DNA sequence: CACACGTGGGT
DNA sequence: TACCCAAGTGT
């Protein structure tokens, strides 16, 4: 592949930023382009962690509740683990919430409550990987970091027609992106590229006719934009089965806390067995199907007596179960049970 | 490098 | 219905 035209490289950021100045999405954690407001690293970091593998629409409500309840990193660091986990319930990938707390406490304990302002300093924090360190460095601190998320991967793979399958293509994508990052407005540049990927350079049916950088997009010229980037084939999801126990006493339900490692780690849950049972045949039993990333689970509810409420746990008023912060799997099961009881 | 790790919305 | 996908990180 020949090197792209020097003039095209020099022109990329100005074109993209001019489009962003006009078309930027208005998001709760975002400082509008041109605003004189200084970004709050805490809010940028919080939003970036919430947005990992999670849609803007899903994050908005959580971001509002977290920043209302814990306005600063010191407030979050001082929070109870159970409160933070419950507030995260439903957002998924719960290791993020455990790392979020660990990160907030590290910032307070080791950095005087001030986020590191360098990519390397950020990268050393719990739950902050290559993407988040670069994004916070660029957006909160104006560092010319090379920010690469799935949107940017897709846009650059198309623009430069990088036909290597992911994840091997990441090296070439990063190399192609690095010289495009402007010293001026690197944070807006990263967000502009993400907006482009989210609204124009979409996975399916990209709107190339509205793209501000289509003029020198190699995949557009070749007519192959929609096919890029190439992805590895996905594998079949196993079907798994398990049982959860409904242990009720005096209008309260026995809840436990799942171990920090593994599925739904650290979250409140109904007690039960491992998810490795043969398919249940209890006719008429309350059960739910729930699709996880790498397996599908059918979870069946079984009534048990109070003698099974052993070990660590809490009696939770059934009328207040919504406040328990159950992950979606258990919330679906509980909702179905309460419905069938009526 | 490959895999574990959630969930909800779009098609 | 089924599959795809989303501002990834840790191991």
């Amino acid at each position: 592949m020949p090197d792209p035209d020097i003039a095209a490289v020099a022109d990329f950021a100005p074109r993209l930023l001019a489009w962003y100045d006009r078309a930027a999405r208005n998001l709760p954690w975002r400082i509008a382009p041109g605003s004189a407001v200084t970004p709050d690293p805490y809010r940028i970091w919080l939003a970036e962690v919430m947005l990992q593998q999670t849609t803007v629409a899903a994050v908005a409500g959580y971001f509002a509740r977290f920043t209302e309840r814990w306005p600063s990193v010191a407030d979050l660091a001082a929070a109870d683990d159970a409160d933070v986990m419950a507030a995260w319930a439903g957002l998924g990938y719960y290791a993020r919430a455990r790392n979020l707390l660990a990160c907030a406490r590290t910032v307070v304990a080791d950095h005087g409550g001030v986020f590191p302002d360098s990519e390397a300093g950020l990268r050393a924090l719990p739950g902050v990987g290559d993407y988040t360190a670069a994004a916070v460095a660029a957006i909160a601190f104006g560092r010319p970091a090379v920010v690469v998320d799935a949107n940017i991967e897709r846009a650059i793979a198309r623009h430069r027609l990088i036909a290597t399958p992911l994840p091997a293509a990441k090296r070439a994508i990063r190399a192609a992106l690095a010289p495009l990052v402007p010293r001026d407005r690197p944070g807006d540049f990263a967000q502009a590229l993400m907006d482009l990927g989210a609204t124009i350079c979409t996975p399916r049916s990209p709107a190339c006719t509205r793209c501000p950088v289509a003029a020198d997009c190699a995949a557009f010229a070749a007519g192959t934009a929609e096919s890029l980037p190439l992805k590895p084939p996905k594998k079949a999801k196993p079907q798994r089965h398990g049982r959860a126990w409904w242990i009720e006493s005096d209008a309260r339900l026995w809840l436990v806390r799942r171990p920090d490692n593994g599925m739904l780690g650290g979250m409140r849950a109904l007690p039960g067995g491992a998810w490795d049972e043969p398919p249940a045949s209890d006719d008429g039993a309350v059960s739910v199907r729930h699709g996880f990333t790498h397996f599908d689970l059918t979870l069946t509810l079984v009534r048990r007596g109070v003698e099974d409420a052993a070990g660590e746990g809490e009696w939770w008023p059934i009328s207040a179960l919504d406040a328990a912060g159950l992950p979606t799997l258990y919330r679906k099961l509980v909702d179905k049970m309460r419905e069938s009881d009526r």
Side-chain angles (χ1 to χ4, degrees), chain A residues 183-262:
Chain A
R183 308 289 304 185
D184 187 38
R185 303 182 65 189
D188 281 350
F189 177 78
Q191 295 177 93
L193 223 30
M194 290 190 272
D195 274 20
L196 187 77
T199 64
I200 289 180
C201 197
T202 48
R204 280 164 297 186
S205 307
C208 300
T209 58
R210 293 193 285 119
C211 177
V213 292
D216 52 352
C217 176
F220 176 59
T224 59
E226 186 160 12
S227 72
L228 296 174
L230 267 38
K231 299 212 166 177
K234 49 260 164 222
K235 16 182 107 160
K237 278 196 211 178
Q239 304 292 321
R240 295 169 65 174
H241 301 264
R243 287 186 168 82
W245 304 344
W246 184 274
I247 306 173
E248 182 178 343
S249 173
D250 193 21
R252 294 166 308 162
L253 187 66
W254 182 248
L255 298 181
V256 299
R257 178 176 209 76
R258 293 180 61 84
D260 274 345
N261 295 321

Side-chain angles (χ1 to χ4, degrees), chain A residues 54-140:
Chain A
T54 308
T55 57
V56 162
V59 164
Y62 287 86
F63 181 81
R65 288 189 291 277
F66 267 69
T67 52
E68 165 77 18
R69 186 167 177 184
W70 300 295
S72 74
V73 67
D75 296 320
L76 184 59
D80 287 338
D81 292 42
D83 289 342
V84 174
M85 298 310 286
W88 196 276
L91 202 52
Y93 284 149
Y94 298 102
R96 291 184 295 169
R98 299 193 301 275
N99 286 328
L100 189 82
L101 256 177
C103 182
R105 289 169 182 166
T106 298
V107 167
V108 168
D110 298 351
H111 302 276
V114 179
F115 275 87
D117 64 0
S118 72
E119 195 173 352
L122 291 159
R123 182 66 179 81
L125 296 169
V128 176
D130 289 341
Y131 162 75
T132 303
V136 174
I139 298 168

Side-chain angles (χ1 to χ4, degrees), chain A residues 237-316:
Chain A
K237 278 196 211 178
Q239 304 292 321
R240 295 169 65 174
H241 301 264
R243 287 186 168 82
W245 304 344
W246 184 274
I247 306 173
E248 182 178 343
S249 173
D250 193 21
R252 294 166 308 162
L253 187 66
W254 182 248
L255 298 181
V256 299
R257 178 176 209 76
R258 293 180 61 84
D260 274 345
N261 295 321
M263 291 294 299
L264 312 178
M267 299 300 287
R268 282 202 185 98
L270 272 63
W275 299 339
D276 57 1
E277 304 188 9
S281 58
D282 326 65
D283 270 357
V286 169
S287 76
V288 295
R289 287 196 52 181
H290 191 74
F292 290 113
T293 305
H294 54 296
F295 63 92
D296 287 327
L297 176 68
T298 303
L299 192 61
T300 303
L301 206 46
V302 180
R303 280 188 183 276
R304 293 269 198 145
V306 284
E307 65 277 7
D308 287 314
E312 289 281 304
E314 3 174 28
W315 289 107
W316 200 277

Side-chain angles (χ1 to χ4, degrees), chain A residues 2 6 17 31 36 41 51 60 74 119-120 125 178 182 185 206 231 278 321 331:
Chain A
I6 298 293
L17 287 167
I31 306 294
L51 286 161
E119 195 173 352
L125 296 169
R185 303 182 65 189
K231 299 212 166 177
L321 268 178
R331 187 181 50 69

